[in-house]
Amino acid sequence: MKNDFRKMEDEMDRLATNMAVITDFSARISATLQDRHERITKLAGVHALLRKLQFLFELPSCLTKCVELGAYGQAVRYQGRARAVLQQYQHLPSFRAIQDDCQVITARLAQQLRQRFREGGSGAPEQAECVELLLALGEPAEELCDEFLANARGRLEAELQSLEAELGPSPPAPDVLEFTDHGGSGFVGGLCQVASAYQELFAAQGPAGAEKLTAFAQELGGRYFALVERRLAQEQGSGDNSLLVRALDRFHRRLRAPGALLAAAGLAEAATEIVERVARERLGHHLQGLRAAFLGCLTDVRQALAAPRLAGKEGPGLAELLANVASSILSHIKASLAAVHLFTAKEVSFSNKPYFRGEFCSQGVREGLIVGFIRSMCQTAQSFCDSPGEKGGATPPALLLLLSRLCLDYETATISYILTLTDEQFLVQDQSPVTPVSTLCAEARETARRLLTHYVKVQGLVISQMLRKSVETRDWLSTLEPRNVRAVMKRVVEDTTAIDVQVGLLYEEGVRKAQSSDSSKRTFSVYSSSRQQGRYAPSYTPSAPMDTNLLSNIQKLFSERIDVFSPVEFNKVSVLTGIIKISLKTLLECVRLRTFGRFGLQQVQVDCHFLQLYLWRFVADEELVHLLLDEVVASAALRCPDPVPMEPSVVEVICERG
């Protein structure tokens, strides 16, 4: 290592000596060439100046040649390079002449550029190039700004006219997706080009220029939106949302670019408002569809209930009809939810907007569509109870029964299921108040109660009419001794049995009070009891009516009061009890308006015993039937001048034979 470093040190000494010699030699050369270098620099400056002078002297001919060849950009660049020098030395005659020649040529160039610009045959980039060259030539910017927008207006209005022609009555309009594609590529694309070129060319105009562009975009954009809304309105009758949502998505996407370029014009916001308005209209369309589907189900039920009677055949069971209606409505609800769910799909450009993430889901779909339909369904069902003289009178009682069960099923399970399904699909995030499930369930239960109560009234009215006519059309004073049960009583029992079967198809049995072992004979024993015998006692004569009436009224004070129109519960026993109460109360009131002979009273006794034999098994408390029938016979006895009751054994034989 010592030997290597010693050798390196010797070489470094020699290198330093050589560098010193080179530096000295270079200094002597520079001193020798200094004079020549200064002369060369002066000559180079003179050469450059001569070249500039040559360019200036040749400028008129170069400009003329460029104009003739159509190289307008090159001509403008030449003019721009020479403008400052010519203005600086315009006091010199030679430069003044060159400047005058250039001004003449430049004026001709500007005229040709304006002519080319006004013809408008070229596209937007070429138009922008013309304006850029004119600005470089010093043309007034404000005037060019107005001409640029006027020229662009012509091109964009042609696009709008093309779109409007597609909406005309004669040719069939293209599908909505094709229409929005045409508008997006034509009008919206052209507007983007115009806005971009305008902002680049006239950026120096400041707020005044920006306001012109904003007003321009708002006017033409408004006309475009009006055409789009006209086309979208034609889609409101269609049931498929997929094509409509795709068209709205493309329409919304296309307006992002002009919306960003022209934020002050509010184009993006206007497009979003159109999409939201269409979404709200589609919700209304689907709500109407659900209502129509429900009414269609009711029509089908009416036809199914009427057809068997017309053909004399047995029709479908109420349970089957109820299942068909429930499944049909539920399928329509699910289809509507699936259709409107397309508006909130992640791939749709507007689905992340606040409206579609909040209000559309909660207030639109949940409240407007689902809750609105459920309430509409309840209102439609309740309408069958509102006008019994007109609408309710023509409503089949079985339809009232079916609707009441449908509403009750909605209250117990369906409403909760539908709203849970809606909340899961639409992920309701809006904090706006929504209708609780319990509130809807209460409304559905109240509707079911009203329908069932109306069913009881309608069926009770049918049986009451038979009983009323049977009492009012008979001459009770001159009637013959009873040998049979009247046919109307048999019909009452038959109809009550049919109603019992009908109600049993949809409702559970219900709870009855414990029955006595001799329920079928209770009426007979009641009529032969001490208090009945008291009424039929030989001491009861027409000469002492006041005492007997007083005794009857005192007896009523201690008897149990019967509420004929008491609330109906959701079971078969309660429904039949209500119908029988209405029927027997009507019979009682009709009996009170007639006068009976001896045999008339006995006929009433036979009829009431027959009713007792069969009606007790339909009611919750058999004592109710006993009391009402007891009142009927007692009332007939009070209105009989010769109240001689038939022997109980004879009554029993006649009823068993009947």
Side-chain angles (χ1 to χ4, degrees):
M1 291 178 65
K2 185 183 294 185
N3 293 334
D4 290 341
F5 276 109
R6 185 180 296 113
K7 182 178 179 181
M8 185 181 296
E9 186 176 355
D10 294 340
E11 290 179 353
M12 290 299 294
D13 291 341
R14 286 196 299 273
L15 178 60
T17 303
N18 291 336
M19 288 298 296
V21 172
I22 292 171
T23 301
D24 182 60
F25 186 68
S26 176
R28 290 199 302 270
I29 291 175
S30 296
T32 304
L33 297 177
Q34 180 66 31
D35 295 338
R36 294 183 181 181
H37 178 71
E38 293 178 355
R39 289 198 299 273
I40 291 173
T41 302
K42 289 181 180 179
L43 290 174
V46 172
H47 181 264
L49 179 61
L50 291 175
R51 289 186 61 184
K52 291 180 181 179
L53 291 174
Q54 183 181 5
F55 172 77
L56 290 175
F57 285 117
E58 294 177 355
L59 181 60
S61 60
C62 289
L63 290 177
T64 302
K65 187 175 182 181
C66 288
V67 171
E68 292 174 353
L69 296 176
Y72 302 124
Q74 186 68 33
V76 172
R77 285 192 292 273
Y78 285 162
Q79 172 66 14
R81 287 172 55 188
R83 180 182 301 157
V85 176
L86 291 175
Q87 287 183 351
Q88 183 178 358
Y89 296 103
Q90 62 181 344
H91 59 281
L92 299 176
S94 57
F95 286 96
R96 180 69 180 179
I98 295 173
Q99 186 182 27
D100 292 341
D101 292 342
C102 289
Q103 286 178 346
V104 173
I105 299 171
T106 301
R108 189 167 70 251
L109 171 61
Q111 184 179 4
Q112 291 185 11
L113 286 174
R114 282 184 176 274
Q115 183 66 27
R116 182 183 178 189
F117 173 66
R118 288 168 181 166
E119 288 175 356
S122 54
E126 290 78 6
Q127 296 288 321
E129 181 184 2
C130 290
V131 174
E132 185 178 5
L133 295 177
L134 288 170
L135 288 172
L137 291 176
E139 294 294 314
E142 184 175 355
E143 181 180 339
L144 289 175
C145 171
D146 294 337
E147 289 188 12
F148 180 82
L149 291 179
N151 189 276
R153 179 187 295 275
R155 296 196 307 273
L156 294 178
E157 284 183 343
E159 294 289 346
L160 293 176
Q161 291 172 0
S162 175
L163 290 174
E164 190 169 8
E166 294 181 1
L167 296 176
S170 50
D175 65 60
V176 65
L177 186 61
E178 184 179 342
F179 182 86
T180 52
D181 279 343
H182 181 188
S185 59
F187 175 81
V188 178
L191 183 61
C192 283
Q193 290 182 350
V194 169
S196 178
Y198 183 93
Q199 290 176 346
E200 291 180 4
L201 294 172
F202 304 105
Q205 291 298 301
E211 289 177 0
K212 287 184 179 180
L213 180 61
T214 299
F216 172 83
Q218 286 177 337
E219 179 191 352
L220 293 180
R223 292 169 57 184
Y224 171 65
F225 291 149
L227 293 175
V228 171
E229 289 196 271
R230 281 176 54 190
R231 182 61 187 88
L232 292 174
Q234 299 176 8
E235 296 295 310
Q236 293 305 310
S238 65
D240 184 19
N241 279 357
S242 57
L243 190 66
L244 177 62
V245 171
R246 289 174 58 196
L248 290 173
D249 180 38
R250 294 193 186 179
F251 165 72
H252 190 266
R253 287 179 188 274
R254 285 284 191 175
L255 282 159
R256 282 179 174 176
L261 284 172
L262 302 165
L267 298 179
E269 292 79 2
T272 302
E273 289 178 2
I274 290 176
V275 174
E276 292 175 1
R277 189 156 52 248
V278 171
R280 283 190 289 268
E281 291 172 352
R282 292 306 293 176
L283 288 174
H285 171 76
H286 284 288
L287 177 59
Q288 293 298 326
L290 289 177
R291 289 172 175 169
F294 178 61
L295 293 176
C297 289
L298 296 186
T299 302
D300 294 341
V301 170
R302 282 175 175 269
Q303 292 176 349
L305 293 174
R309 292 197 299 271
L310 296 176
K313 297 184 295 184
E314 184 178 354
L318 282 181
E320 181 183 353
L321 290 176
L322 174 64
N324 293 338
V325 170
S327 62
S328 176
I329 294 174
L330 189 59
S331 65
H332 278 93
I333 290 175
K334 289 182 177 179
S336 296
L337 286 176
V340 298
H341 190 259
L342 296 174
F343 285 95
T344 61
K346 292 183 179 179
E347 63 272 12
V348 177
S349 61
F350 50 77
S351 62
N352 60 347
K353 295 295 181 182
Y355 171 75
F356 287 98
R357 296 184 64 183
E359 183 182 347
F360 176 80
C361 296
S362 65
Q363 301 301 315
V365 178
R366 190 187 191 278
E367 294 296 301
L369 181 59
I370 301 304
V371 175
F373 168 68
I374 293 174
R375 283 180 165 161
S376 173
M377 187 178 71
C378 291
Q379 291 172 359
T380 301
Q382 287 190 30
S383 66
F384 294 108
C385 308
D386 293 337
S387 53
E390 301 173 4
K391 193 171 185 179
T395 304
L399 179 60
L400 297 172
L401 189 66
L402 183 146
L403 286 175
S404 70
R405 185 68 215 193
L406 177 67
C407 292
L408 187 63
D409 290 343
Y410 264 68
E411 184 263 338
T412 54
T414 310
I415 289 177
S416 177
Y417 169 74
I418 292 174
L419 290 183
T420 301
L421 182 66
T422 303
D423 293 341
E424 288 176 353
Q425 286 190 12
F426 291 86
L427 298 175
V428 176
Q429 302 174 0
D430 192 13
Q431 300 302 317
S432 302
V434 295
T435 305
V437 176
S438 58
T439 302
L440 271 186
C441 290
E443 293 177 7
R445 187 176 185 85
E446 175 62 18
T447 302
R449 186 195 61 77
R450 289 190 61 185
L451 286 165
L452 197 59
T453 301
H454 191 61
Y455 173 81
V456 169
K457 291 180 180 179
V458 170
Q459 294 288 47
L461 180 62
V462 172
I463 298 177
S464 297
Q465 293 283 9
M466 290 192 298
L467 293 172
R468 177 181 290 108
K469 289 180 180 178
S470 71
V471 174
E472 292 177 350
T473 58
R474 191 178 184 92
D475 185 2
W476 293 99
L477 286 172
S478 59
T479 186
L480 300 177
E481 183 178 359
R483 290 288 181 265
N484 293 296
V485 179
R486 289 192 300 148
V488 67
M489 298 303 166
K490 299 178 182 179
R491 177 68 184 276
V492 168
V493 173
E494 291 173 359
D495 287 0
T496 305
T497 305
I499 293 172
D500 180 74
V501 173
Q502 186 181 71
V503 177
L505 295 174
L506 298 181
Y507 283 99
E508 295 73 19
E509 182 70 21
V511 180
R512 302 177 187 270
K513 288 187 178 181
Q515 309 293 343
S516 63
S517 60
D518 60 343
S519 296
S520 62
K521 298 183 180 181
R522 180 68 176 273
T523 302
F524 171 76
S525 62
V526 167
Y527 293 158
S528 60
S529 66
S530 58
R531 72 186 172 99
Q532 285 295 100
Q533 289 175 354
R535 292 180 181 178
Y536 303 149
S539 61
Y540 177 82
T541 59
S543 62
M546 295 302 294
D547 295 337
T548 307
N549 287 335
L550 180 61
L551 179 64
S552 175
N553 291 330
I554 293 174
Q555 181 72 26
K556 289 181 180 179
L557 291 176
F558 295 96
S559 64
E560 182 181 355
R561 181 179 180 275
I562 298 174
D563 186 4
V564 178
F565 297 102
S566 59
V568 182
E569 298 178 1
F570 296 105
N571 58 70
K572 184 174 71 171
V573 171
S574 178
V575 172
L576 268 295
T577 300
I579 294 172
I580 290 173
K581 283 195 297 184
I582 293 174
S583 304
L584 296 185
K585 185 66 174 177
T586 301
L587 178 61
L588 174 60
E589 296 302 323
C590 292
V591 165
R592 286 176 175 172
L593 298 177
R594 311 296 293 180
T595 303
F596 297 85
R598 176 191 301 179
F599 296 144
L601 171 62
Q602 293 177 2
Q603 184 67 60
V604 171
Q605 185 181 358
V606 170
D607 291 344
C608 289
H609 184 64
F610 180 80
L611 292 178
Q612 170 58 30
L613 286 175
Y614 295 98
L615 295 185
W616 67 269
R617 68 194 67 192
F618 297 121
V619 297
D621 184 5
E622 63 183 73
E623 189 65 26
L624 180 136
V625 175
H626 303 156
L627 291 173
L628 284 172
L629 291 175
D630 183 28
E631 286 291 326
V632 172
V633 177
S635 184
L638 288 174
R639 288 156 182 80
C640 178
D642 185 17
V644 179
M646 183 176 284
E647 288 295 326
S649 58
V650 179
V651 173
E652 187 174 14
V653 170
I654 293 176
C655 291
E656 289 177 354
R657 188 176 58 196

